[in-house]
Amino acid sequence: MKSVKTDTTITMPRSHPKKSSGLLRQMGKRLDLYLMLLLPVTWYVVFHYAPLYGLQIAFKNFNPAKGILGSSWEGFGHFQRFFDSYYFWRLLWNTLSINLFSLLIAFPIPILLALIINEIRNKTFSKWLQNITYIPHFISVVVIVGILNVFLSPHTGPVNLLIEAFGGTPIRFLEEAGWFKTIFISSNIWQNMGWQSIIYIAALSGVNPHLYEAAKMDGASRLRRIWHISLPGIAPVVIILLILDIGHFMNIGFEKILLMQNNLNLESSDVISTFVYTTGILKGEYSYTAAIGLFNSIINLVLLLLVNRIARKTSETSLW
Amino acid sequence: MSKQATLQTSSNERIFDVIIYVIASIIIIAVLYPLIFIVSASFSDPTKVLNGEVWLLPKGLTLDAYTNILHNEKIWLGYRNTIFYTVVGTVINIIMTVLAAYPLSRPDLPGRNVIMVFITLTMFFSGGLIPTYLLVKNLGMVDTMWALIIPGAIATYNLIVMRTYFQSSIPWELQEAAHMDGCSNWRLLVSIILPLSKPILAVMVLFYAVGHWNSFFNALIYIRNENLHPLQLILREILLISQSDAVDGSLGLEDKILLAESIKYAVIIVSSLPVLLMYPFVQRHFVKGVMIGSIKG
């Protein structure tokens, strides 16, 4: 009995450290934990923070032979050249519009799907619906674009065969700039709505069932219950995901756009990130495209800060 | 009066139910139809597919497309490379993520909040494509398999999910008790924490492995050597660039085009199958994994 008592008094300081003098000892005791962190933290320094250092080439004339430090300064010349270029407005408009339309159209759909799944009373059926809508998420973008090619092919694809069967003329969907955004966004919805709905379904399952019962007693219809109970119940999750989405606003769908792009639809498929790839990596204009990439990131960061602030003011939900 | 009202609401409810079921059925069909079509087309006579005779079930059943894939060296090479990237990459992913997530889950680790901020910040800004590319190039990883493994060793989102799981699902008392028994942190991690974390490990393996299996962009930038090409780059060639290259050279042009057409469908199936087969085993853990990560992260 006595030994137990001394034991607890010895371990007491461990869980309640005194301030500064104890800190080093605290850290010393957790040396193995810091050792575990060594590799991951080094990795973050190298692969996430070192490229930030490399960003200075946006203000230089990078010459691989001279290295980052040795290259001469250029100032804002690359930015100026980009803003003055004939493709500046096209790139900016395509980047903004593809993302904005995605946000407006594709963002609410997983929420609707989750509400539908939540309203289905037959649990087996709703499980099936859920599991089936997840599947496309696991298919690679290359295959998705391959499927689009097959389906939308002018003379052999099912879509055009259907159009022809109804007496219409086939449409070269993938080679017309006017169709690009529609196809891009709707195929994204097809691929991701199920997966993205998971989080809303989880949030809906956390809503207190008594609220529904009470509303039912008061004679609220199903739609009213969705409007006044389900939606407010998941609102914080919706806001967080919206902010996160906007945090990636300027970067959505880069890989897929690159795969869907061809010379005929370039007018509406050329976005900042694909331009950085083709001009930077393929043509080796490192400094110029690093500047363009930086411009892209700055817009992105400003949007994120702005939306987070608005969310905090209006709904008290925010990332930080 | 009140009876009439309840009657009305119950019939309204029924209409509502019907609408919900109709919408749900349309969604199921819209999601499944393209998948079923591809499967059917891959087993069908290519001429019938091209003529639009295949709508739902295979017509003129044949395995030609699949036997052709079997003889295609490029696809085999891509398969082999992708399996390597997926297995080695996922192992490294998991080790690195655990090594970061576990210490950061410990409330008694001084400075963990600083490190957390340091890590989370990287989700919102980065050096961008060009500086990252130059870094990987300077490290001498371009045109080596490491370029597809090391730069993506940790996904910050997954790290946060795992840390949250360690914090919320493993009782802190258990860790304290183990410490009192003189258990070191390494041993605690290996023999107590990890065995208790199987569900989240399964989800992480799935996320990372699917990521490796499906990734093509890193290979596009970093890998020029065709012997190192992953499956997705070869798929891209067959599906999107030069379809007929993939087909046996001894055939006539017309047959070549036909076979190229049918091989497309088969190649979609063959490349997606491993991921889809893996998915039912981990599927039941999804909701948990996704939820932990997004709500509390």
Side-chain angles (χ1 to χ4, degrees):
Chain A
M1 205 52 205
K2 206 182 176 186
S3 70
V4 172
K5 231 176 185 175
T6 41
D7 231 67
T8 48
T9 48
I10 289 167
T11 53
M12 275 303 277
R14 208 206 263 182
S15 39
H16 300 286
K18 282 187 187 129
K19 276 180 188 166
S20 58
S21 64
L23 184 66
L24 268 181
R25 191 137 45 94
Q26 276 293 309
M27 292 176 75
K29 269 187 196 158
R30 313 284 183 269
L31 211 58
D32 43 0
L33 291 178
Y34 289 109
L35 212 62
M36 287 181 194
L37 277 170
L38 192 65
L39 211 53
V41 168
T42 314
W43 180 86
Y44 269 99
V45 172
V46 173
F47 288 98
H48 284 276
Y49 286 89
L52 291 179
Y53 169 79
L55 253 183
Q56 58 176 286
I57 65 163
F59 305 95
K60 287 188 161 187
N61 286 311
F62 178 66
N63 178 338
K66 291 182 190 163
I68 293 175
L69 281 180
S71 301
S72 62
W73 286 97
E74 167 68 38
F76 287 89
H78 297 302
F79 293 89
Q80 200 55 51
R81 183 183 148 203
F82 179 53
F83 298 148
D84 292 340
S85 68
Y86 70 94
Y87 44 74
F88 172 70
W89 289 108
R90 182 171 85 173
L91 289 177
L92 191 65
W93 165 247
N94 283 338
T95 308
L96 290 175
S97 63
I98 289 177
N99 287 295
L100 189 67
F101 294 149
S102 295
L103 207 60
L104 289 177
I105 301 160
F107 184 81
I109 287 183
I111 302 174
L112 291 175
L113 180 63
L115 290 172
I116 289 171
I117 288 172
N118 196 46
E119 290 296 325
I120 291 173
R121 291 185 217 179
N122 181 335
K123 286 302 144 206
T124 347
F125 186 70
S126 78
K127 273 268 169 294
W128 270 96
L129 178 59
Q130 246 176 296
N131 287 328
I132 285 171
T133 51
Y134 293 165
I135 298 172
H137 174 81
F138 292 91
I139 298 174
S140 76
V141 257
V142 179
V143 166
I144 296 283
V145 178
I147 294 178
L148 282 176
N149 277 4
V150 165
F151 261 74
L152 302 173
S153 142
H155 295 290
T156 58
V159 175
N160 273 316
L161 287 171
L162 203 67
I163 291 175
E164 277 181 294
F166 283 101
T169 43
I171 301 168
R172 307 183 76 86
F173 288 102
L174 293 165
E175 291 159 7
E176 279 183 23
W179 278 99
F180 180 81
K181 286 166 194 167
T182 313
I183 295 166
F184 176 79
I185 294 170
S186 48
S187 59
N188 273 357
I189 293 173
W190 181 80
Q191 183 169 22
N192 293 319
M193 63 175 174
W195 187 252
Q196 289 166 348
S197 72
I198 292 183
I199 175 79
Y200 300 115
I201 294 168
L204 280 171
S205 70
V207 176
N208 186 348
H210 293 306
L211 292 176
Y212 291 105
E213 285 304 316
K216 209 171 171 181
M217 290 296 191
D218 292 343
S221 69
R222 296 273 287 276
L223 274 176
R224 280 198 155 274
R225 276 178 260 159
I226 292 175
W227 186 252
H228 291 293
I229 299 169
S230 302
L231 279 178
I234 60 173
V237 178
V238 172
I239 291 167
I240 292 288
L241 289 189
L242 191 64
I243 300 173
L244 283 174
D245 264 21
I246 289 170
H248 305 131
F249 191 78
M250 302 291 283
N251 307 315
I252 303 177
F254 166 35
E255 299 193 1
K256 195 169 149 200
I257 294 176
L258 198 65
L259 289 168
M260 286 175 69
Q261 209 168 59
N262 54 48
N263 287 329
L264 297 162
N265 66 23
L266 211 56
E267 193 191 317
S268 60
S269 68
D270 208 13
V271 295
I272 294 178
S273 41
T274 55
F275 182 82
V276 169
Y277 167 72
T278 45
T279 313
I281 306 278
L282 297 184
K283 294 184 190 152
E285 293 200 43
Y286 297 130
S287 277
Y288 180 49
T289 46
I292 299 174
L294 180 58
F295 168 75
N296 194 49
S297 312
I298 289 171
I299 297 187
N300 211 18
L301 201 62
V302 169
L303 279 173
L304 175 72
L305 295 173
L306 201 71
V307 173
N308 191 56
R309 178 168 219 168
I310 296 171
R312 195 170 43 189
K313 283 225 168 112
T314 54
S315 67
E316 293 177 346
T317 310
S318 69
L319 280 185
W320 59 82
Chain B
M1 175 71 198
S2 81
K3 199 180 174 191
Q4 204 174 7
T6 49
L7 266 178
Q8 180 136 28
T9 48
S10 78
S11 80
N12 278 345
E13 297 246 322
R14 204 160 305 142
I15 294 168
F16 188 86
D17 270 335
V18 171
I19 293 173
I20 289 285
Y21 277 96
V22 169
I23 298 175
S25 311
I26 292 173
I27 294 172
I28 289 181
I29 293 167
V31 171
L32 279 185
Y33 180 70
L35 302 173
I36 295 172
F37 176 84
I38 301 284
V39 175
S40 298
S42 75
F43 288 108
S44 299
D45 178 352
T47 31
K48 299 205 162 158
V49 180
L50 286 176
N51 290 337
E53 288 175 42
V54 176
W55 283 103
L56 192 65
L57 296 173
K59 289 261 167 66
L61 211 62
T62 164
L63 287 173
D64 284 358
Y66 289 95
T67 48
N68 249 280
I69 288 181
L70 281 178
H71 299 300
N72 189 305
E73 279 173 29
K74 266 190 174 176
I75 292 175
W76 280 112
L77 183 71
Y79 235 96
R80 205 197 61 198
N81 287 340
T82 290
I83 289 173
F84 177 84
Y85 295 133
T86 304
V87 173
V88 177
T90 306
V91 169
I92 290 178
N93 285 145
I94 297 290
I95 292 175
M96 289 286 278
T97 309
V98 169
L99 285 183
Y102 175 62
L104 291 172
S105 77
R106 290 275 300 261
D108 61 337
L109 185 78
R112 69 169 190 150
N113 287 332
V114 179
I115 303 173
M116 238 8 247
V117 169
F118 171 83
I119 286 173
T120 326
L121 277 181
T122 63
M123 286 176 86
F124 301 108
F125 59 81
S126 68
L129 182 65
I130 303 294
T132 309
Y133 171 77
L134 290 176
L135 173 80
V136 174
K137 203 172 159 192
N138 284 338
L139 292 173
M141 288 199 236
V142 166
D143 246 353
T144 69
M145 50 178 211
W146 298 112
L148 302 190
I149 293 174
I150 304 293
I154 302 177
T156 304
Y157 177 81
N158 290 352
L159 164 58
I160 293 174
V161 172
M162 194 171 248
R163 181 187 93 120
T164 312
Y165 183 90
F166 288 153
Q167 268 174 356
S168 59
S169 308
I170 295 170
W172 173 236
E173 291 72 27
L174 190 69
Q175 299 192 37
E176 274 190 318
H179 273 296
M180 288 213 215
D181 291 341
C183 182
S184 77
N185 281 315
W186 287 99
R187 227 190 112 198
L188 182 70
L189 174 63
V190 174
S191 40
I192 296 176
I193 307 292
L194 291 182
L196 286 174
S197 308
K198 277 180 198 146
I200 201 70
L201 286 171
V203 174
M204 291 292 116
V205 167
L206 178 85
F207 283 1
Y208 279 124
V210 170
H212 282 292
W213 191 273
N214 286 341
S215 99
F216 91 102
F217 186 66
N218 285 337
L220 188 67
I221 343 178
Y222 297 126
I223 307 288
R224 312 255 142 85
N225 181 352
E226 289 202 359
N227 287 325
L228 298 175
H229 274 185
L231 188 59
Q232 297 298 330
L233 275 195
I234 288 156
L235 273 180
R236 171 171 167 264
E237 230 169 86
I238 296 174
L239 289 174
L240 308 175
I241 302 174
S242 54
Q243 298 94 338
S244 48
D245 275 7
V247 183
D248 187 355
S250 63
L251 294 160
L253 185 65
E254 206 171 310
D255 289 338
K256 234 177 162 176
I257 293 171
L258 275 183
L259 205 55
E261 197 57 37
S262 75
I263 216 175
K264 270 193 217 171
Y265 305 103
V267 111
I268 289 176
I269 310 285
V270 168
S271 66
S272 309
L273 209 57
V275 171
L276 296 177
L277 285 180
M278 186 177 164
Y279 145 93
F281 296 101
V282 245
Q283 178 258 16
R284 63 203 160 97
H285 301 304
F286 282 169
V287 177
K288 204 171 181 184
V290 174
M291 192 172 76
I292 288 172
S294 313
I295 295 184
K296 293 181 189 164

